[in-house]
Amino acid sequence: MNAVDDKTVVKEYFNSTGFDRWRRIYGDGEVNKVQLDIRSGHQQTVDQVLNWLQADGNLADLSICDAGCGVGSLSIPLAEAGAKVNASDISEKMVGEAKERAEAALGNTSNPTFSVQDLEALTGKYHTVICLDVLIHYPQDKAAEMISHLAAMAESRIILSFAPKTCALSILKKIGSFFPGPSKATRAYLHREADVVKILESQGFSVQRQEMTRTRFYFSRILEATRS
């Protein structure tokens, strides 16, 4: 499957069966044990990023791009904390859900702003660019293009999460105990941390903070990099 096909599959999946599945996972309703585990892992990733940004003490002064915002799990609390947030997702249904959740949490406000956009079609400059749990859907060559594009929009900092490619996780993926079956998910890609770091360095960034989220069914490496 080539990169263009992957993008088409991701868009179609999150506008159909994937939307209902992940809306439940990212919500607070009843789900099965695997989905609950993934919900917990994703929330831990979101919370870690929020902790980093809140610890810096300047969220209200920041402009932030949340690329691949999903249902707004990160965008909404960032806006609540005072940051100016531009959120986007390739899925029209995901963006619609994010807008509804933002209105319920924040009222009728223009922050965050939401748009349906392909990540590589994003433009503008932001203090911080964030992309969580998106790279897992794309192969290394496409991920490299995406990271480079996001880095070009970041004036000061970029935060990424990805499923790290290690021997253990590669084995788990191969035997099917890591990711849901093909009827329930898009193709899943692991990425070597060294490769991601190399791409960031080529764009003038250096890693400052890193964290690993690990549950039974969810694994995500988070990197924060700033302009050197």
Side-chain angles (χ1 to χ4, degrees):
M1 182 180 291
N2 61 39
V4 174
D5 289 337
D6 280 307
K7 187 180 296 185
T8 300
V9 168
V10 170
K11 182 176 182 178
E12 292 179 350
Y13 173 70
F14 283 104
N15 274 323
S16 57
T17 57
F19 168 69
D20 292 328
R21 179 172 186 267
W22 288 97
R23 178 177 57 177
R24 290 195 303 273
I25 291 175
Y26 293 152
D28 55 10
E30 185 175 346
V31 291
N32 63 42
K33 290 182 179 180
V34 173
Q35 293 171 332
L36 183 61
D37 182 88
I38 295 171
R39 174 191 291 173
S40 174
H42 175 75
Q43 190 59 50
Q44 288 178 45
T45 292
V46 169
D47 289 344
Q48 181 61 67
V49 171
L50 286 171
N51 288 340
W52 281 349
L53 298 180
Q54 289 169 343
D56 292 341
N58 63 342
L59 256 180
D61 300 324
L62 302 186
S63 61
I64 297 177
C65 173
D66 183 10
C69 67
V71 298
S73 302
L74 178 65
S75 298
I76 294 169
L78 285 176
E80 285 181 314
K84 185 66 175 177
V85 183
N86 185 298
S88 63
D89 199 278
I90 196 172
S91 166
E92 182 177 357
K93 283 194 172 182
M94 284 288 186
V95 170
E97 178 72 12
K99 287 180 178 179
E100 290 183 9
R101 294 189 184 196
E103 184 171 348
L106 305 171
N108 188 12
T109 175
S110 60
N111 184 39
T113 60
F114 292 100
S115 62
V116 181
Q117 279 189 287
D118 178 346
L119 184 152
E120 292 165 296
L122 295 174
T123 59
K125 293 290 185 180
Y126 304 87
H127 177 278
T128 298
V129 174
I130 303 173
C131 185
L132 302 184
D133 293 351
V134 171
L135 299 179
I136 193 172
H137 300 298
Y138 299 97
Q140 181 60 32
D141 59 342
K142 195 62 179 177
E145 294 176 10
M146 290 177 168
I147 294 170
S148 296
H149 180 70
L150 293 173
M153 297 195 301
E155 296 177 332
S156 180
R157 172 172 54 194
I158 181 169
I159 299 175
L160 304 171
S161 75
F162 55 94
K165 189 170 186 178
T166 64
C167 290
L169 295 187
S170 295
I171 292 171
L172 284 173
K173 179 175 181 288
K174 184 172 292 186
I175 65 177
S177 61
F178 180 30
F179 295 107
S183 64
K184 296 183 179 180
T186 63
R187 184 173 294 200
Y189 296 94
L190 308 181
H191 299 285
R192 291 185 179 87
E193 183 172 346
D195 293 338
V196 175
V197 171
K198 184 176 181 181
I199 297 165
L200 291 170
E201 290 176 345
S202 73
Q203 299 299 313
F205 287 82
S206 58
V207 174
Q208 301 300 320
R209 290 185 282 202
Q210 50 193 299
E211 189 59 65
M212 181 73 190
T213 302
R214 184 188 299 269
T215 66
R216 187 175 180 185
F217 297 100
Y218 177 97
F219 297 81
S220 183
R221 186 67 161 168
I222 318 168
L223 299 181
E224 177 200 59
T226 59
R227 284 203 174 274
S228 303

